Amino acid sequence: MPSYTVTVATGSQWFAGTDDYVYLTLQGTAGCSERHLLDKPFYNDFERGAVDSYDVTVEEDLGEIQLIKIEKRKYWYQDDWYLKYITVKTPVGDYLEFPCYRWITDEKEIVLRDGRAKLPRDDKTQILKQHRRKELESRQKMYRWKEWHPGFPLSIDAHSHSELPRDIQFDNEKGIDFILNYTKAMENLYVNRFMHMFQSSWSDFADFERIFVRISNTISEYVMQHWKEDFMFGYQFLNGCNPVLIRRCTEIPKKLPVTMDMVECSLERNLTLEEEVKQGNIFIVDYELLDGVDANKTDPCTIQYLAAPICLLYKNLEKKIVPIAIQLGQKPGPDNPIFLPSDAAYDWLLAKIWVRSSDFHVHQTVTHLLRTHLVSEVFSIAMFRQLPAVHPLFKLLVPHMRFTIAINTKAREQLICECGLFDKANATGGGGHVQMVQKAMKDLTYSSLCFPEEIKAKGMDSKEDIPYYYYRDDGIKVWEAIKSFAEDVIHIYYGSDEVVCEDVELQAFVKDIYVYGMRGVKASGFPKTIRTQETLAEYLTVIIFTTSAQHAAVNFGQYDWCSWIPNAPPTMRCPPPTEKGTVTIEQIVESLPDRGRSCWHLGAVWALSQFQDKELFLGMYPDEHFVEKPVKEAMAKFRKNLDEIVSSITERNKNKKLPYYYLSPDRIPNSVAV
């Protein structure tokens, strides 16, 4: 009688094992086995991290194995089981791999196909077509779209983390409890004694050191020492944690009536301001988005303020970017002066602090929340709804969607909800952050997510012209490596543009993103369909780059750049100055966050800057969804390219006082998970 050797691998995460009864059925082209209990006498099967083998004997050969059915039935009490994969050795010695990497909950059953990736056109038999269809029908019931706020990209229909499908929940919910993590961070930073001291001002800048954890030879310490300098202010627009706003100025806007007389002493080339603009030496950052946004009113004891500044910057003879003019409001007028480096020191310092505070708000809500977290969630939901596990693009993308829906759901539950942690310390809390996302949606375009295209559109693409823009340099290298990998995978499964057009599941995936994610807005430029291998490669690169590299670039530098409170105030407690010559050090300190808000801010940027336990970085694919040799070779090539980028970044950073490493692939997690 023919015998099959079945090997079952259980996950190694906490509580992955099970004591339940597990039954297996093999379904082949020539017949179906009986339901077989996988159980060895006097042996504890399916322990965490175990790989167990069983012999399954059948009366007649089953032909080519097409499906495996796994059923779990309660033994004593209900426990979930994480099944990594099953391998089957056939009577003739062939090995078949059946990837799973899913939780089996309650008394459920799952049906697995072998690990070879297949497009819809590759399935010829009714049983395989039916399996594909049923999987998507089931997923579409579990992964439903929901509007969190009007005008936002749609998100998952779940009020809490516990309501999510088990497969996308965190392994350990305590690990992503924001309240717990922030409190723990404040304990670790020894600032918990200040955390309830709202309305209590610091006495001077040095007083902020009482909550600043000095870690020698780090960026955060360098920021603390040099934050007042114009060089440091300008450098952050290139390589800080929000290096996405600066653009080359092609014309001084009418709403910023800067004259040559104002900035002449800042210009170094004996040219007029107009000539400097024409030569490409003037840059601008405009926080117009903040104009009209309501400041946080959740604490009646503290009035909080926002501004919408415009900052003009100059590339000096050393090719470094420095500020030359700051206007703190959008409408010019006598009560909205243009502050200059030649003004009184405290006037100029307070103007720069206001810009840094505004930059913090745009970074947190638009650059970070909207353009990485919410966009990545759209990609994740659409993938689960429209791409079955056997689809090559599901296998390619699923590592880059790990825990994204879970972290966003937890954030909506605790962090950015009404009366959430975000309201405690941020001037855009209490609804301002919602207004900002709604306003920013008009600029969320497909081309703005194409990294090289966006850099070029801002006039920031010349390495010779702007040599110290490491965010650009490293980002383009990582973008190209991801694109090359995507192209390699596409050429394995899509032999021609025609095959791309015919892939109904791919087209449904793209349509879901456009219709639900981008709300069907034509101006977003998101494609409704994809018709060529080339556009598919770019589309996949946008998804993988956004969920990995872009998030890393704007997330993991938060403690470095924002832990010194005066460099990134999360709120301001006095209105912007309306005249020059009146600012004092006391007024500046009184404007900055109080002790309580400072501590909550510090806990937040610390917690958000930490990698997950057992973090998976770009190119690490321990879950073997792909089984084919050509794809594994493409992965090896991808890792080799990434290793070369790591080496070049490491070499460049040697002996730098301000190393830039956020886009080093060994520091880029695969997905948005924090």
Side-chain angles (χ1 to χ4, degrees):
M1 290 168 60
S3 179
Y4 295 80
T5 302
V6 174
T7 302
V8 181
T10 297
S12 56
Q13 57 268 69
W14 286 105
F15 310 114
T18 185
D19 290 324
D20 285 355
Y21 297 112
V22 174
Y23 296 89
L24 173 136
T25 306
L26 300 173
Q27 192 159 355
T29 51
C32 187
S33 75
E34 292 183 357
R35 184 170 175 256
H36 190 95
L37 175 65
L38 300 181
D39 181 48
K40 286 188 274 192
F42 311 110
Y43 178 76
N44 201 347
D45 306 275
F46 316 119
E47 287 291 282
R48 180 165 73 100
V51 179
D52 303 314
S53 292
Y54 305 88
D55 289 325
V56 176
T57 304
V58 296
E59 291 185 3
E60 293 181 2
D61 188 83
L62 303 175
E64 183 184 346
I65 302 298
Q66 293 184 309
L67 301 172
I68 287 181
K69 182 160 80 170
I70 297 287
E71 300 169 70
K72 188 168 75 70
R73 298 291 178 257
K74 187 164 75 172
Y75 167 66
W76 182 248
Y77 62 91
Q78 203 65 60
D79 60 345
D80 299 343
W81 177 39
Y82 188 84
L83 173 60
K84 287 173 68 178
Y85 62 81
I86 291 176
T87 63
V88 177
K89 182 184 176 186
T90 67
V92 295
D94 294 335
Y95 277 91
L96 302 172
E97 296 178 53
F98 293 79
C100 181
Y101 303 105
R102 286 162 57 192
W103 288 94
I104 304 176
T105 60
D106 304 324
E107 297 200 351
K108 295 283 175 63
E109 60 182 55
I110 59 169
V111 181
L112 303 176
R113 286 183 60 164
D114 80 81
R116 292 169 297 175
K118 300 289 183 184
L119 296 174
R121 72 198 301 264
D122 299 326
D123 286 345
K124 307 300 182 189
T125 65
Q126 200 56 40
I127 189 170
L128 295 179
K129 289 179 182 178
Q130 187 181 35
H131 175 265
R132 197 173 195 119
R133 189 180 69 250
K134 278 187 173 179
E135 182 184 3
L136 288 181
E137 286 172 356
S138 170
R139 291 238 214 99
Q140 284 163 15
K141 288 175 185 171
M142 285 194 289
Y143 296 87
R144 301 174 306 278
W145 296 103
K146 181 184 178 183
E147 184 178 70
W148 179 38
H149 286 293
F152 275 45
L154 295 194
S155 50
I156 196 75
D157 184 6
H159 292 100
S160 65
H161 180 265
S162 59
E163 289 182 16
L164 294 173
R166 184 68 179 90
D167 288 330
I168 60 168
Q169 289 183 25
F170 279 98
D171 296 331
N172 175 12
E173 192 174 349
K174 279 187 180 177
I176 46 91
D177 187 298
F178 284 108
I179 296 170
L180 196 67
N181 285 356
Y182 281 26
T183 308
K184 205 184 296 177
M186 285 186 273
E187 284 174 8
N188 292 341
L189 297 167
Y190 305 107
V191 299
N192 47 325
R193 67 187 185 279
F194 297 114
M195 63 188 282
H196 300 298
M197 296 173 69
F198 290 90
Q199 290 84 51
S200 172
S201 298
W202 303 97
S203 55
D204 53 29
F205 290 137
D207 208 17
F208 281 97
E209 291 191 50
R210 294 176 67 186
I211 63 163
F212 181 76
V213 178
R214 188 187 290 264
I215 306 169
S216 294
N217 302 315
T218 58
I219 290 174
S220 57
E221 185 182 51
Y222 194 89
V223 170
M224 184 198 74
Q225 293 166 347
H226 298 276
W227 70 281
K228 294 180 185 177
E229 297 168 21
D230 287 355
F231 153 73
M232 175 59 83
F233 180 86
Y235 179 87
Q236 292 179 74
F237 288 114
L238 299 177
N239 302 308
C241 60
N242 194 26
V244 303
L245 298 183
I246 188 169
R247 60 172 61 244
R248 199 183 295 272
C249 182
T250 54
E251 184 184 3
I252 304 292
K254 289 185 173 60
K255 63 183 180 179
L256 181 66
V258 176
T259 65
M260 179 63 185
D261 287 344
M262 290 179 182
V263 297
E264 188 173 9
C265 61
S266 297
L267 307 182
E268 298 179 354
R269 293 179 177 85
N270 294 320
L271 300 173
T272 65
L273 179 59
E274 195 176 318
E275 288 168 337
E276 294 278 19
V277 169
K278 281 181 183 171
Q279 287 206 6
N281 297 324
I282 303 295
F283 299 83
I284 192 166
V285 179
D286 188 350
Y287 297 92
E288 185 180 11
L289 183 87
L290 283 161
D291 194 32
V293 171
D294 294 329
N296 192 339
K297 295 182 178 67
T298 57
D299 179 0
C301 298
T302 303
I303 301 175
Q304 300 179 59
Y305 296 90
L306 293 168
I310 309 167
C311 181
L312 209 61
L313 300 123
Y314 176 63
K315 184 183 71 178
N316 65 19
L317 289 173
E318 294 179 321
K319 295 192 174 181
K320 291 177 180 174
I321 304 291
V322 291
I324 58 171
I326 293 170
Q327 182 177 284
L328 295 179
Q330 292 288 309
K331 293 176 184 171
D335 58 349
N336 186 19
I338 296 174
F339 292 93
L340 307 165
S342 55
D343 289 341
Y346 288 143
D347 282 4
W348 181 234
L349 182 61
L350 183 56
K352 288 191 293 181
I353 289 172
W354 267 104
V355 172
R356 293 296 310 138
S357 183
S358 301
D359 193 79
F360 175 81
H361 296 309
V362 172
H363 166 260
Q364 288 292 4
T365 303
V366 180
T367 308
H368 185 208
L369 173 62
L370 172 60
R371 297 181 70 88
T372 63
H373 277 262
L374 299 184
V375 168
S376 296
E377 182 174 2
V378 166
F379 297 149
S380 298
I381 299 169
M383 180 197 73
F384 282 113
R385 285 174 53 82
Q386 303 299 348
L387 299 176
V390 73
H391 198 291
L393 299 188
F394 179 89
K395 292 170 182 283
L396 175 68
L397 295 176
V398 71
H400 303 287
M401 308 300 165
R402 181 173 179 256
F403 299 146
T404 297
I405 299 174
I407 195 70
N408 285 4
T409 303
K410 202 71 184 173
R412 285 188 288 269
E413 199 181 336
Q414 292 185 325
L415 185 61
I416 45 180
C417 56
E418 196 174 338
C419 303
L421 293 174
F422 196 78
D423 289 357
K424 280 189 179 291
N426 294 284
T428 50
H433 60 301
V434 174
Q435 295 170 14
M436 288 176 70
V437 171
Q438 289 165 336
K439 291 173 79 171
M441 279 296 288
K442 73 179 189 321
D443 297 318
L444 179 58
T445 61
Y446 179 72
S447 63
S448 72
L449 297 179
C450 295
F451 189 84
E453 208 174 313
E454 176 68 351
I455 292 287
K456 193 170 185 179
K458 287 184 159 71
M460 302 294 293
D461 51 315
S462 172
K463 288 179 77 169
E464 187 183 346
D465 214 17
I466 314 161
Y468 305 113
Y469 198 12
Y470 307 127
Y471 163 74
R472 170 203 60 206
D473 300 342
D474 299 351
I476 284 173
K477 286 179 187 173
V478 174
W479 172 276
E480 292 300 333
I482 292 171
K483 191 176 181 188
S484 175
F485 176 47
E487 286 168 345
D488 289 345
V489 174
I490 287 165
H491 290 137
I492 293 167
Y493 296 102
Y494 294 91
S496 66
D497 292 344
E498 186 185 357
V499 180
V500 173
C501 291
E502 285 177 4
D503 185 350
V504 292
E505 290 167 350
L506 163 63
Q507 304 305 337
F509 169 63
V510 171
K511 185 180 178 183
D512 242 30
I513 289 171
Y514 172 72
V515 171
Y516 297 105
M518 298 308 120
R519 310 302 298 264
V521 176
K522 200 173 180 181
S524 72
F526 270 77
K528 299 177 191 175
T529 59
I530 288 181
R531 305 207 167 276
T532 67
Q533 293 170 311
E534 188 181 348
T535 52
L536 177 56
E538 182 184 70
Y539 196 81
L540 295 174
T541 306
V542 164
I543 293 173
I544 296 172
F545 186 88
T546 302
T547 57
S548 58
Q550 190 60 40
H551 179 256
V554 302
N555 181 71
F556 292 103
Q558 291 189 72
Y559 187 78
D560 287 346
W561 296 101
C562 304
S563 57
W564 180 245
I565 308 287
N567 189 58
T571 188
M572 297 291 276
R573 296 181 298 142
C574 295
T578 56
E579 57 182 343
K580 295 187 182 186
T582 61
V583 178
T584 62
I585 181 66
E586 290 77 19
Q587 185 184 339
I588 293 177
V589 173
E590 199 60 36
S591 296
L592 290 168
D594 56 40
R595 294 167 191 251
R597 286 178 175 82
S598 297
C599 292
W600 278 101
H601 168 81
L602 202 59
V605 297
W606 171 270
L608 291 170
S609 300
Q610 306 307 304
F611 293 121
Q612 289 279 323
D613 290 339
K614 299 178 184 175
E615 189 69 83
L616 297 176
F617 295 100
L618 193 58
M620 292 170 60
Y621 301 119
D623 292 357
E624 296 191 45
H625 291 276
F626 283 110
V627 300
E628 298 97 317
K629 190 179 176 185
V631 191
K632 292 187 176 183
E633 288 171 350
M635 287 177 173
K637 177 186 160 190
F638 181 39
R639 280 190 288 271
K640 184 172 180 290
N641 290 342
L642 295 175
D643 288 343
E644 288 171 3
I645 296 170
V646 171
S647 298
S648 69
I649 291 173
T650 304
E651 187 62 33
R652 181 199 65 209
N653 283 338
K654 273 183 184 174
N655 304 318
K656 276 198 184 301
K657 289 177 181 173
L658 279 174
Y660 185 82
Y661 43 70
Y662 308 116
L663 281 169
S664 184
D666 59 345
R667 299 175 71 101
I668 298 175
N670 265 333
S671 62
V672 177
V674 65

